[in-house]
Amino acid sequence: MGDQSKWAPTQVEKAVPSVSVDRERLREEFARLTAIDSVSFSERQMADQLKARLKTLGFEVREDQAGAYCGGTAGNVYGYLKGTVPGPGVLLSAHMDTVKPGIGKRSVFAEDGTVTSEGDTILGADDVAGLVEILEGIRCVQEAGLPHRDVEVLFPIAEEVYLKGTEWFDFSQIRAKEAYVLDLSGPVGAAALKAPTLISFAVTVNGRAAHAGFNPEDGIHALQIMCRVIGEIPQGHVDQETTLNIGLISGGEATNIVPPTCVCRGEIRSLNHGKALAALESVRDQFHQAAEAAGAGFHLNSHIDLVAYQVDPTAPVVEHFTSCCDRLRIPWKLTSTFGGSDNHNFMRNGIPGIVLSCGMYEVHSVREYTKLQDLELGARLVAELIQPHSR
């Protein structure tokens, strides 16, 4: 699926407001939530803060036991708000955890609206940007007295570690068949309809130890075999839909010993599940051939962490998103992503969803930033998404 875009005649800055967003409140909320240390499996304080905010907004709130199952301090936070009009509801989601370095974060606000960290940690816009846009969008609709659909929210733990939080979530309690996951980099208006299979793998080459000085010819150099194969395996973009990366390698016992073992770890991502499996088999074949030729052994372990999905561009969840963007005069773009998100688990559990950009940039680095203009526009979009509109 190629990118599908519609560029409205007006610029984003001239979007027609449907609700009044309190920018100062938005700014303060973002600063408060990013100041919370919430690395994966340590989301207790964030969960408590979000539960309190949801209750203030009138939500029925529950927290599950996901943290107990996977070694965390908190569970997934789920909320339900009865709509003021009949009809199908909507599910909004943003995750509570961050990557490292994420301890001691502080938001720095520039005059032009850009928000960064102090430079020694991530900012945490991934995914506090999504959290504050969801909360502010709901507040704005309520304050304006506008009708709204049933609203469900899910704030998962441990999204950054292969979606461990939603792996443990009981999806039978979700009523909506339309999900919007605010967890994509870039300006507000992009929606990812397609996401990859992700396979992680580890290969062990078993050679034979020997003294490196007295009798190296009696050894089988596992590290040499490993490096030879890694040098031959295509990495990076294997094709337009598939990437492969070997990112870790370890082996050897001492400088005077021919290394008897070596291990490498890598990942494969592909928007086509079959291509991901084929790439894994290619890796297996190349190691098998090299090990056999050298008289060594090898073993490959793999795990399918995510399974690729694709949402039809004519699906109701997509059409509602694009119509909301049109009403706000936001240029919209339908695209794909090579990243994982909780939407993988939504789709796997029969909940059609798309991943929306929420105005975060250079995520997973200390250069991460967002813009107040993006946060405000994201809140307006959330407000539109929860209102009833004919398609």
Side-chain angles (χ1 to χ4, degrees), residues 278-315:
L280 180 66
E281 286 309 304
S282 178
V283 170
R284 188 190 308 274
D285 289 345
Q286 287 176 268
F287 273 103
H288 173 75
Q289 294 172 16
E292 186 175 54
F298 91 102
H299 182 71
L300 186 149
N301 285 321
S302 63
H303 184 266
I304 299 176
D305 300 294
L306 306 173
V307 176
Y309 68 82
Q310 181 173 357
V311 180
D312 191 318
T314 64

Side-chain angles (χ1 to χ4, degrees), residues 45-116:
Q45 187 181 355
M46 181 68 79
D48 289 342
Q49 290 291 321
L50 293 174
K51 286 164 65 177
R53 285 161 172 74
L54 290 174
K55 289 176 181 177
T56 299
L57 292 170
F59 279 79
E60 301 171 18
V61 181
R62 295 194 291 271
E63 180 182 338
D64 69 12
Q65 295 298 309
Y69 296 133
C70 56
T73 61
N76 301 305
V77 172
Y78 167 79
Y80 173 76
L81 180 67
K82 180 64 180 174
T84 60
V85 293
V90 59
L91 172 64
L92 304 169
S93 183
H95 61 85
M96 295 190 288
D97 63 318
T98 72
V99 297
K100 298 177 181 179
I103 304 299
K105 306 186 305 300
R106 292 291 182 272
S107 296
V108 179
F109 295 85
E111 291 185 3
D112 66 354
T114 301
V115 191
T116 67

Side-chain angles (χ1 to χ4, degrees), residues 243-274:
T243 63
L244 190 153
N245 184 65
I246 295 174
L248 295 170
I249 183 171
S250 61
E253 297 176 354
T255 59
N256 62 348
I257 300 174
V258 174
T261 60
C262 188
V263 179
C264 74
R265 299 180 186 277
E267 67 161 40
I268 297 164
R269 300 186 188 221
S270 183
L271 299 172
N272 182 305
H273 186 68

